[in-house]
Amino acid sequence: MRPGPHNSITDVVGVLVGHHYKRDADATLGSGAATGCTVVLVPGGATASVDVRGGGPGTRETDLLDPSNSVQQVNAIVLSAGSAYGLAAADGVMAWCEEHREGIPMGKPDELVPIVPAAVIFDLPVGDWRIRPTAEFGYRAADAAAVDFETGSVGAGVGARAGSIKGGVGTASIVIADGPAAGVTVGAVVVANPVGSVFDPRTGLPWGAGSDGADFFGLVAPSAEQLAAANDLGKKDTSLNTTIGVVATDAPLSASACRRLAVAAQDGLARAIRPAHSPLDGDTMFALATGTFEVAPSAVPIPAAFASELPLTDAICAAVAVAVERAIVGAVLAATPVAGIPAYRELLSSAIGSDGPDR
């Protein structure tokens, strides 16, 4: 499962990502600005679905993405900080989409409705409680959407905390080499802010490195002293939680198949975060299919009663779970300290080899 050229969700043709955030260098727990949002933009629209597993989700338009409902495509997905207040960022993205003629035509040429689902993390105590994303944040993030974008303590990940250490935004991609999905690209972008731990307390290595191995990320075991210091940080305040993200593929999939991709994305989340999907998290994963890659007809025999896209969907689901694992590890390795929350790089620095994590 080799990465795409950017090792990013934007390796999926038709997907762009942008951030807007405020991050004061002197922010603390309770003062200064430390918040933002991240927008996944799909010009022309993409087939979509969602899976919500956490017990405390903050979301918008997720019911719309049930495959049994009428609307099958979205124009953008918003991942925001600020708890329920941060859902306001989606208003700004809708305004941007309307200006750029992105949405469902509903009659006259100037009458359309952009479809912009959203999910949020709870990070309000990081920085000033009253500084949180607004519609302007969403508009600016959409306007900044591009193939290249930052990771780490940026966008919706500025105030994210992954267990006892700094969380953030991470991304990854995979180009499937063979089988029914040969040539298909899969990508993920994740905002890691879980109550659960993202590293193994026995080794100091990220849980999400389990599928690929530490070498893939340029990691080695940290020193005993570093590991002891990291474990002494204790558990996270249980109010500051939720991991949200988007997975995407360039394969032509139905909304039902996208739903399976969103479920598989949650599997990747559970491999990289322990525990996951708790009553104290709002874990939400969206899935997009742009259909920009022409898939060869499958030679895999399946019963007539099964959906014809089943072999393709199955192969993509396996890649999606790994992409989410990699994205969460990437978020943790790219994160930098904010408001006194320590980052993996400074706590367990000897775990990062000379060729990682920027390889």
Side-chain angles (χ1 to χ4, degrees), residues 163-213:
S164 59
I165 64 174
K166 189 69 183 71
V169 175
T171 191
S173 69
I174 291 170
V175 179
I176 299 174
D178 51 27
V184 167
T185 300
V186 171
V189 62
V190 177
V191 184
N193 183 58
V195 66
S197 171
V198 290
F199 68 88
D200 186 339
R202 301 165 298 180
T203 66
L205 297 174
W207 291 115
S211 290
D212 292 305

Side-chain angles (χ1 to χ4, degrees), residues 74-291:
V74 303
N75 302 103
I77 302 288
V78 176
L79 308 175
S80 184
S83 189
Y85 295 106
L87 292 172
D91 290 338
V93 180
M94 287 192 71
W96 187 95
C97 287
E98 184 177 29
E99 286 183 14
H100 291 79
R101 312 303 305 151
E102 295 285 345
I104 301 175
M106 299 300 290
K108 298 177 182 178
D110 62 342
E111 295 177 344
L112 52 81
V113 179
I115 304 300
V116 184
V120 295
I121 64 169
F122 187 92
D123 65 341
L124 291 172
V126 181
D128 188 326
W129 181 283
R130 291 171 179 79
I131 300 177
R132 54 241 182 181
T134 62
E136 181 184 2
F137 278 65
Y139 185 97
R140 291 192 178 190
D143 205 44
V147 170
D148 295 317
F149 62 97
E150 297 177 280
T151 59
S153 301
V154 296
V158 169
R161 186 168 180 170
S164 59
I165 64 174
K166 189 69 183 71
V169 175
T171 191
S173 69
I174 291 170
V175 179
I176 299 174
D178 51 27
V184 167
T185 300
V186 171
V189 62
V190 177
V191 184
N193 183 58
V195 66
S197 171
V198 290
F199 68 88
D200 186 339
R202 301 165 298 180
T203 66
L205 297 174
W207 291 115
S211 290
D212 292 305
D215 289 348
F216 180 86
F217 299 96
L219 295 170
V220 294
S223 68
E225 293 77 13
Q226 287 181 315
L227 181 58
N231 286 332
D232 283 345
L233 289 174
K235 295 182 178 179
K236 178 183 181 183
D237 180 339
T238 56
S239 67
L240 299 172
N241 311 309
T242 294
T243 296
I244 54 179
V246 179
V247 297
T249 180
D250 54 5
L253 296 179
S254 67
S256 295
C258 284
R259 165 70 173 166
R260 298 312 309 172
L261 265 59
V263 170
Q266 297 280 17
D267 294 339
L269 188 156
R271 295 176 192 168
I273 298 167
R274 304 185 187 186
H277 311 141
S278 80
L280 303 169
D281 288 289
D283 298 339
T284 300
M285 298 298 297
F286 297 93
L288 303 172
T290 64

